Amino acid sequence: GGGVDWLVEQLLRDLRKLGLHSQLILKSDQENAVLDVLNSLCKARGSEGGGGKITIVEASPKGESQSNGVAERAVQDIEEGVRTHKLALESKVGQTIPIDHSIIPWMVENVTT
């Protein structure tokens, strides 16, 4: 869907910005939503053209979140940062901001930079 397309485009921009143009190994849990994004990213990297853009998805064993400990902590940090920004903005404007509001992707990107 549109949310996955936006995310994949953002990931492609981030990978280019980081200079990651060749083989890439992505580690993930086996959550369907994450695998959907990673599979879409693999297809998009393959269709960008040029040689050597191999993308490998490695899934950790089910129930083994410890094997993704650093990534799990990064996700928690991002969630906490977005939550903090969202609550602060809601307090300033005096209304609830829906999760599908266009400011949310900006908050995610702002927290991760």
Side-chain angles (χ1 to χ4, degrees), residues 8 10-21 24 26 41 45 55:
V8 168
Q10 182 62 49
L11 290 169
L12 288 170
R13 280 191 295 272
D14 291 344
L15 291 171
R16 284 190 293 269
K17 191 186 309 183
L18 292 168
L20 300 173
H21 302 290
L24 184 64
L26 303 170
L41 180 61
R45 286 191 87 225
T55 309

Side-chain angles (χ1 to χ4, degrees), residues 38-105:
L38 295 182
N39 288 332
S40 295
L41 180 61
C42 289
K43 287 179 192 168
R45 286 191 87 225
S47 66
E48 279 191 320
K53 289 198 176 183
I54 298 168
T55 309
I56 300 166
V57 176
E58 288 183 0
S60 63
K62 285 214 181 261
E64 294 277 332
S65 65
Q66 286 180 333
S67 62
N68 292 324
V70 172
E72 295 283 341
R73 181 63 193 158
V75 169
Q76 289 173 356
D77 289 346
I78 293 167
E79 287 174 342
E80 184 178 305
V82 170
R83 188 178 313 109
T84 300
H85 281 356
K86 184 175 180 287
L87 290 171
L89 183 58
E90 288 174 340
S91 177
K92 270 201 185 284
V93 299
Q95 56 184 296
T96 301
I97 298 170
I99 197 68
D100 61 346
H101 191 281
S102 60
I103 194 74
I104 301 297

Side-chain angles (χ1 to χ4, degrees), residues 24-37:
L24 184 64
I25 299 173
L26 303 170
K27 297 189 180 216
S28 154
D29 59 13
Q30 294 185 34
E31 186 177 330
N32 288 335
V34 174
L35 290 175
D36 287 346
V37 171

